[in-house]
Amino acid sequence: MRMSLNTIVRTLLPMLFIAWAMVAVAQEPDKRHVTPVKPETNRVQPPPKGTDEKVIQQYLTGDSAAAVAEARRDSLRRIYKHYPLVTDLSIGVNLVEPIFMVFGQSYASADVNATLNMWNRLQPTLELGLGWAKSTPDGMNFTYHAKPSPYFKLGANYNFLFKNSPDYQAVIGIRLGYSTFSYDITDVFYHGGYWQEDISYQLKGEHSHALWGEAGVGIKVKLFDRLSMGWMIRYHGIFNYGKNEHSKPWFIPGYGPRSSSLGLSLGLYYTLPLNRKSKSNLPTPEKQ
C-alpha cells in the first residue's frame, strides 16, 4: 500500500521539529539560576554591640574573609588580656634556710630579690644575699666555719600562666650565681704518723670563689592585697670554684654544701604595680 506525499510530510514534520528542539536545548550554555531577593530582606544587619570599627568597615567594603579573621582576633582580645611591656615589680625575701636553722640546720643562705614582670610572661630577676655556716659534717673529722659572705644570682623566669592574672603564676627559671668568700677549718683530727699518735691542726683564712648555674620550677600565689608567697625547687651545678693547697670549700654561700645538687627557695613578696592599665581591649560596660 502506497502512502501519499502529504501523509509522509505530516508524519516526518513533527519528528523533525522535536529533533531540532532537542539539539537546540543540548547546545544552550548552562545558566546560573539566582533566587530573587525579597526587597524587605535585602538589608544590612547592624553589627553586634562592641564590634571593632575595623571589622565593621571590612564588612561594608565586602572584604568578608578579612572581616571574619579580624573578628576572631577581636574575640581573642576580649578573652585573653594583653599585658603591657612592664606590668609590675616584686620585691621578696628568701626565708627557707633561716627557717631550717631554727630546726637545727648548721648553715644558711638568705637573700632579697627583685623580679620585673614583663608582659606577665618574661621575668628578669636579681638576687643578693649572704651565706654562712658553722658545722661539723657527719662522718667528717673537722669543723667548717664560714663567716657571712655575699653572693648574687642573675636570671629570669618564664610564666606559663601569662594569659591569666599576675596574682597566680607557674614558672620555670634559670639563674647564674657567683660568690667570693673565706672560711676556717678547725678541729682537724687524725690518728697516724710514724709513732701512730693523735694529730690535730687547723686551717684559717682560706679564700675561695664559686660560679654555678641553677634551673628550677615554682609557683607564686597571692595571699592578700599586694602580698604573695612563692616556692621554687632548684637543681644546681658548679661550673668552677677556687681550690686551696690544703683544702676545698665545703659550703658555698648561696649554693649550699658543695656536694649538693638540689635546693629550695621560699619567698615572701610585695608587688608594686607599674602599669595599672593592661592592653586587654575589653569594652567598657554600658550603663543601664
Side-chain angles (χ1 to χ4, degrees):
M1 182 176 59
R2 295 182 180 178
M3 299 179 63
S4 65
L5 180 61
N6 291 335
T7 302
I8 295 174
V9 171
R10 285 196 301 268
T11 302
L12 293 178
L13 187 60
M15 297 178 63
L16 291 174
F17 178 78
I18 293 173
W20 173 84
M22 293 178 63
V23 171
V25 171
Q27 292 179 348
E28 183 181 4
D30 293 338
K31 294 183 179 179
R32 179 176 296 177
H33 299 280
V34 180
T35 303
V37 179
K38 296 181 180 179
E40 61 270 15
T41 63
N42 191 19
R43 299 175 181 174
V44 177
Q45 298 296 327
K49 290 184 178 181
T51 302
D52 189 87
E53 182 65 25
K54 184 177 180 180
V55 178
I56 297 175
Q57 293 300 324
Q58 288 173 333
Y59 270 116
L60 294 178
T61 57
D63 192 357
S64 59
V68 171
E70 182 63 28
R72 180 178 182 275
R73 288 191 292 269
D74 183 60
S75 64
L76 290 176
R77 284 194 293 268
R78 294 166 182 269
I79 298 174
Y80 300 123
K81 293 185 177 181
H82 290 255
Y83 290 93
L85 172 62
V86 178
T87 305
D88 54 61
L89 175 67
S90 294
I91 307 297
V93 291
N94 181 15
L95 301 173
V96 63
E97 290 194 351
I99 293 175
F100 286 168
M101 288 194 75
V102 174
F103 295 94
Q105 184 172 282
S106 56
Y107 58 87
S109 295
D111 60 69
V112 295
N113 53 78
T115 302
L116 185 65
N117 192 2
M118 303 174 64
W119 303 290
N120 195 35
R121 182 180 298 200
L122 183 63
Q123 302 172 348
T125 182
L126 173 65
E127 303 175 11
L128 300 173
L130 296 174
W132 63 94
K134 188 175 182 180
S135 174
T136 302
D138 294 338
M140 298 296 179
N141 60 338
F142 62 86
T143 297
Y144 187 95
H145 183 207
K147 295 180 180 180
S149 301
Y151 68 88
F152 77 89
K153 300 178 186 179
L154 183 64
N157 298 331
Y158 181 85
N159 177 24
F160 288 99
L161 301 182
F162 60 89
K163 295 180 180 179
N164 302 311
S165 169
D167 294 338
Y168 301 93
Q169 302 177 7
V171 303
I172 182 172
I174 57 173
R175 304 284 189 275
L176 182 66
Y178 180 80
S179 178
T180 178
F181 54 95
S182 61
Y183 59 91
D184 300 332
I185 299 178
T186 60
D187 302 328
V188 181
F189 173 85
Y190 74 95
H191 180 81
Y194 180 80
W195 300 105
Q196 293 297 307
E197 58 186 348
D198 295 335
I199 300 175
S200 178
Y201 66 94
Q202 59 186 10
L203 299 171
K204 288 194 173 184
E206 300 287 273
H207 297 279
S208 185
H209 63 271
L211 178 69
W212 69 92
E214 299 179 354
V217 293
I219 59 174
K220 181 182 177 183
V221 297
K222 179 180 178 179
L223 298 179
F224 58 89
D225 196 17
R226 297 181 182 179
L227 195 63
S228 303
M229 180 172 286
W231 300 262
M232 179 172 281
I233 299 175
R234 310 186 184 196
Y235 175 83
H236 51 208
I238 299 175
F239 298 139
N240 178 267
Y241 68 94
K243 304 178 182 66
N244 292 294
E245 183 179 358
H246 300 293
S247 69
K248 297 179 182 179
W250 172 79
F251 170 83
I252 298 172
Y255 184 92
R258 182 168 49 85
S259 59
S260 68
S261 58
L262 289 177
L264 175 67
S265 63
L266 171 62
L268 194 63
Y269 303 95
Y270 185 81
T271 300
L272 301 172
L274 300 181
N275 194 319
R276 296 181 181 273
K277 296 182 179 180
S278 65
K279 297 179 181 178
S280 57
N281 294 327
L282 293 175
T284 302
E286 296 183 358
K287 294 183 179 180
Q288 300 294 331

